[in-house]
Amino acid sequence: MITLYHCDAARSFRPLWMLEEMGLPYELKMLPFPPRVFAKEYLAVNPLGTIPFMIDGETRMTESSGICHYLGIKHGPTPLMVGPGDPAYGAFLNWMYFSDATLTFPQTLVLRYTQLEPEERRNPQVAGDYAKWFLGRLRAVEAATANAETLCGRFTAADIVIGYALRLADNIGLAKDFGPNVAAYWARLQQRDGFKRAVAAEQKAGAEQNVAPRAKA
């Protein structure tokens, strides 16, 4: 049984969504955010104190997009993956890495300096600068979805990992600045049954485990 440690609306949503799209059995363990502050016992499980943390037999992983890639290969075959023989293979890999290294990174600074730091340490200039950074990098998604429903010719793990970055943007108040193509793409992603099941699983586990959802911006 796959075990996924997750916080409400955090980047661990990527592997949760992947699990639901693939129909794999899993156990979801909810934690308050950030767990290294509010669930210090979690450090015995994951010394980094970050989420996600996935356990699959002897395998332990902490990187959300990497976990999606792992699940698709290890527990496939699945149409969510793009293989080397597919012309979209390079684009697929690029989106998988782009999702966290380029898109989610600046968002974490916006989140930190608008919500997570104590009032006296919050910094509107840092938050504003990194919001602009994120939106600037989002131009790649705006261009890719100008004449396409998805990023790689069909719905794949690339759409899951990029889609989470759009969900995070929505949660921290940046969705109002999406371009028209990204806004339409994000709306389509939210209509997927797999996305809806992942949101429902997140909410159900949070209620059952008495972990309150995070406040949204």
Side-chain angles (χ1 to χ4, degrees):
M1 174 71 76
I2 295 166
T3 299
L4 179 66
Y5 288 83
H6 174 52
C7 292
D8 177 72
R11 71 182 78 188
S12 41
F13 187 79
R14 285 182 174 122
L16 175 58
W17 186 359
M18 187 80 177
L19 287 162
E20 287 292 344
E21 290 281 355
M22 292 183 69
L24 296 173
Y26 64 90
E27 179 182 9
L28 190 63
K29 295 193 174 184
M30 300 295 293
L31 294 166
F33 186 85
R36 61 185 173 274
V37 175
F38 297 111
K40 292 188 182 295
E41 68 278 6
Y42 174 59
L43 293 170
V45 177
N46 174 14
L48 291 175
T50 58
I51 46 90
F53 189 71
M54 186 208 69
I55 302 172
D56 183 21
E58 297 301 313
T59 298
R60 306 287 190 272
M61 295 182 69
T62 61
E63 298 305 309
S64 60
S65 297
I67 294 171
C68 291
H69 201 160
Y70 167 87
L71 292 171
I73 297 297
K74 180 72 173 180
H75 295 280
T78 170
L80 295 172
M81 302 304 290
V82 176
D86 191 306
Y89 180 60
F92 174 77
L93 289 182
N94 199 68
W95 289 121
M96 294 296 289
Y97 285 92
F98 183 89
S99 63
D100 234 5
T102 301
L103 284 186
T104 310
F105 164 68
Q107 291 176 294
T108 60
L109 292 169
V110 176
L111 178 62
R112 175 175 179 175
Y113 286 103
T114 59
Q115 297 182 37
L116 301 182
E117 289 285 350
E119 286 285 350
E120 67 275 10
R121 286 181 52 82
R122 295 183 184 183
N123 191 318
Q125 180 175 346
V126 170
D129 288 347
Y130 279 94
K132 290 176 183 176
W133 179 347
F134 164 74
L135 293 166
R137 300 305 188 269
L138 199 59
R139 287 195 295 264
V141 184
E142 180 73 12
T145 54
N147 299 297
E149 294 286 304
T150 58
L151 297 174
C152 297
R154 66 177 188 277
F155 182 83
T156 70
D159 298 294
I160 290 174
V161 297
I162 296 295
Y164 169 70
L166 303 183
R167 188 187 192 210
L168 177 56
D170 204 351
N171 287 339
I172 61 177
L174 299 180
K176 66 185 184 302
D177 296 314
F178 285 173
N181 300 333
V182 168
Y185 173 56
W186 173 223
R188 289 193 298 274
L189 293 178
Q190 293 176 83
Q191 293 308 306
R192 287 194 62 84
D193 288 342
F195 177 89
K196 293 177 181 179
R197 288 194 302 271
V199 172
E202 176 182 74
Q203 293 172 345
K204 181 174 183 288
E208 290 176 346
Q209 296 172 41
N210 197 29
V211 178
R214 276 196 288 165
K216 305 301 189 288

